Amino acid sequence: MIAFEDAVDCVLQACGRLPAERVALTEALGRVTAGEIRSPVDLPSFDNSAMDGFALCTDGHGIPAGREFAVGGEQVAGDGVRHADRGRACSIMTGARLPDGLDAIVPVEQVDVFERNADARPTRIRLAAAVAPGQHLRRAGEDIAAGALALPAGHWIGANELMLLAGLGLAQVDAVRRPRVALLSTGRELVDDPARPLQPGQIRNSSAPFLAARVPAAGGEVVLRATVPDEPARFAAALEQAAGGGAQLVLSTGAVSMGRFDFIPEVLRSLGAEILFHKVAMRPGKPLLFARLPGGALFFGLPGNPVSSVVGLRFFVEPAMRAMLGLPRERGWRLPLMHDASKKPGFRLHQKARLQLGATGRLGVELLPGQESFRTRPLIDSTVWAALPADREALAAGDIVDVFPLAHEAGVALGPQATGAASP
Ligand SMILES: Nc1nc2c(c(=O)[nH]1)N[C@H]1C(S)=C(S)[C@@H](COP(=O)(O)OP(=O)(O)OC[C@H]3O[C@@H](n4cnc5c(N)ncnc54)[C@H](O)[C@@H]3O)O[C@H]1N2
Ligand code: MOO
Ligand SMILES: [Mg+2]
């Protein structure tokens, strides 16, 4: 049995970063930048008004309250270059390009309109407050200047990133290729089709939909889904199919423990795979198996109990995918336990947990009831995994433990300089 940390190191050493490909921005959500992206333009690209009001010329000095201006023209968002009369106010809308020659905005709330034309448009205004040079202006490049760093390399592209890249007018980005993943469920008891009634002893395949949901969300691409009964030849054929589909990661569920039908280690050996470890000093998910297949793909044998598969995915497959995507090694948070806990020494324990505010308003971790690895309902109430160290037996309220969000891409990326952060 291998220690948890050694097992993770072994996985990370086996994973190399995948090459880059150019993708359309519309396909970039959930991808990872292959290189840094610098802004090709100033954003905003022109000086514009932050308020609905009037643009004025202060000549670089303030204008005191009470000063009156004639209103000469109107500038609306979308209007182009306008050469203004510097002695007059120009009616202006939020986002409208600042007319040349003007250098401050006074909001409508800060003027008295004391003369209007037949269309009720202001023709003369009086300042109700002093105006400072540059006020209520959004300067070109103030959000990001041309040439400045928009996104670093190895950065997850989420909705915020799409907003920035779209604002910069980038139609394509260079992203790391997505790991290609095959999902193989093993077990003659499994039924995939929800319309098919269960025969006595059969169960629904609940892990496959979980994995098929998590892999794309975690940055991968599912290239094969297959369910095979407990027959080594059928499993070997599915491995071949995975290789044919170009899978770089193969995830199986079940058949890695001590039962008569737990055939995976034997099949892998017979095919000439290199088993890098089998059985990790952790719970749940102890029988996890990691191997390199003859064609070079990496194989994770996730233990069959559903929550054991969840833990295997979260603490081994997701770190592997992060490495393949060029994302930095994930760091968890270190937070105090809100209550005492006890565990078997020698095993790192991953507990379904949630974050809570204690009486003093301090954030802490509450371990949830129902930790057995067949129990999936408690996952619905949990928001994080708490990792209790292998060498501990009794933990007390206030003890600091490592905490990980349920999904790696939901985590807060702490810089490598962050201290006290935990690695999975
Ligand atoms: N004598 C021992 N028995 C077991 C040990 C052990 O150390 N000694 N380890 C236990 C642990 S821990 C786990 S975890 C499981 C791992 O079992 P396998 O990986 O061999 O998986 P199976 O035996 O095929 O199935 C276990 C369990 O999970 C259910 N299952 C499997 N696939 C799915 C699926 N896709 N969806 C829903 N449920 C699934 C399966 O029906 C079984 O109930 O072994 C323990 N035994
Ligand atoms: O490790 Mo098993 O995953 O305890 O059920
Ligand atoms: Mg078994």
Side-chain angles (χ1 to χ4, degrees), residues 97-181:
R97 184 186 176 97
L98 181 71
D100 289 353
L102 307 185
D103 66 0
I105 306 293
V106 56
V108 278
E109 296 88 335
Q110 291 175 14
V111 300
D112 301 319
V113 177
F114 62 91
E115 190 186 289
R116 294 176 185 274
N117 66 13
D119 297 330
R121 300 266 177 81
T123 48
R124 286 194 71 81
I125 59 168
R126 184 181 302 114
L127 301 183
V131 175
Q135 73 172 36
H136 301 306
L137 275 179
R138 308 192 287 210
R139 294 293 190 182
E142 207 176 356
D143 187 357
I144 179 168
L149 185 67
L151 300 181
H155 189 92
W156 185 269
I157 300 177
N160 294 330
E161 286 73 13
L162 286 185
M163 180 155 74
L164 177 61
L165 298 176
L168 298 178
L170 291 171
Q172 296 176 317
V173 292
D174 289 333
V176 182
R177 285 211 181 138
R178 292 187 293 177
R180 296 163 63 84
V181 184

Side-chain angles (χ1 to χ4, degrees), residues 189-190 203 205-207 254-258 262 286 303-305 308:
E189 73 277 28
L190 300 178
I203 62 165
N205 184 352
S206 58
S207 299
V256 287
S257 189
M258 307 292 285
D262 295 340
K286 180 185 84 173
N305 285 320
S308 309

Side-chain angles (χ1 to χ4, degrees), residues 10 14 265 267-278 289-299:
C10 172
V267 173
L268 293 179
R269 272 188 216 102
S270 75
L271 294 175
E274 182 189 1
I275 296 181
L276 295 163
F277 61 78
H278 182 196
L289 184 152
F290 180 56
R292 188 180 283 110
L293 299 177
L298 297 173
F299 176 90

Side-chain angles (χ1 to χ4, degrees), residues 72-373:
E74 185 180 63
Q75 183 80 339
V76 176
D79 285 349
V81 176
R82 180 187 191 95
H83 303 286
D85 177 344
R86 288 151 55 97
R88 290 177 174 223
C90 178
S91 174
I92 194 164
M93 307 302 144
T94 304
R97 184 186 176 97
L98 181 71
D100 289 353
L102 307 185
D103 66 0
I105 306 293
V106 56
V108 278
E109 296 88 335
Q110 291 175 14
V111 300
D112 301 319
V113 177
F114 62 91
E115 190 186 289
R116 294 176 185 274
N117 66 13
D119 297 330
R121 300 266 177 81
T123 48
R124 286 194 71 81
I125 59 168
R126 184 181 302 114
L127 301 183
V131 175
Q135 73 172 36
H136 301 306
L137 275 179
R138 308 192 287 210
R139 294 293 190 182
E142 207 176 356
D143 187 357
I144 179 168
L149 185 67
L151 300 181
H155 189 92
W156 185 269
I157 300 177
N160 294 330
E161 286 73 13
L162 286 185
M163 180 155 74
L164 177 61
L165 298 176
L168 298 178
L170 291 171
Q172 296 176 317
V173 292
D174 289 333
V176 182
R177 285 211 181 138
R178 292 187 293 177
R180 296 163 63 84
V181 184
L183 302 178
L184 310 181
S185 307
T186 71
R188 63 196 279 271
E189 73 277 28
L190 300 178
V191 174
D192 284 299
D193 180 1
R196 216 175 93 195
L198 295 181
Q199 302 302 316
Q202 291 187 325
I203 62 165
R204 305 285 174 196
N205 184 352
S206 58
S207 299
F210 166 82
L211 294 172
R214 279 300 307 145
V215 166
E221 179 186 0
V222 177
V223 295
L224 174 70
R225 265 178 89 162
T227 301
V228 295
D230 305 295
E231 289 171 28
R234 296 280 298 276
F235 183 70
L239 285 180
E240 215 165 281
Q241 212 185 334
Q248 295 151 322
L249 290 178
V250 179
L251 314 183
S252 71
T253 53
V256 287
S257 189
M258 307 292 285
R260 196 159 71 77
F261 296 97
D262 295 340
F263 55 83
I264 285 183
E266 205 180 301
V267 173
L268 293 179
R269 272 188 216 102
S270 75
L271 294 175
E274 182 189 1
I275 296 181
L276 295 163
F277 61 78
H278 182 196
K279 294 193 173 70
V280 180
M282 65 168 185
R283 293 225 154 105
K286 180 185 84 173
L288 182 81
L289 184 152
F290 180 56
R292 188 180 283 110
L293 299 177
L298 297 173
F299 176 90
F300 288 93
L302 304 175
N305 285 320
V307 177
S308 309
S309 292
V310 174
V311 165
L313 182 92
R314 180 66 185 90
F315 291 98
F316 289 89
V317 181
E318 288 186 6
M321 287 173 56
R322 286 181 70 90
M324 294 169 86
L325 288 166
L327 288 167
R329 191 167 174 164
E330 192 186 358
R331 289 156 183 277
W333 311 317
R334 292 179 59 74
L335 290 168
L337 270 181
M338 302 199 71
H339 50 78
D340 299 348
S342 63
K343 62 177 273 297
K344 197 173 156 175
F347 291 88
R348 169 168 157 132
L349 195 60
H350 291 110
Q351 298 274 274
K352 302 157 194 157
R354 64 184 169 199
L355 301 182
Q356 292 280 30
L357 287 179
T360 58
R362 204 176 159 203
L363 199 60
V365 195
E366 179 195 9
L367 309 182
L368 298 176
Q371 295 290 344
E372 299 91 334
S373 59

Side-chain angles (χ1 to χ4, degrees), residues 386-408:
L388 310 188
D391 58 359
R392 298 286 296 275
E393 188 164 5
L395 292 102
D399 282 358
I400 302 297
V401 295
D402 298 343
V403 173
F404 300 89
L406 290 187
H408 79 83

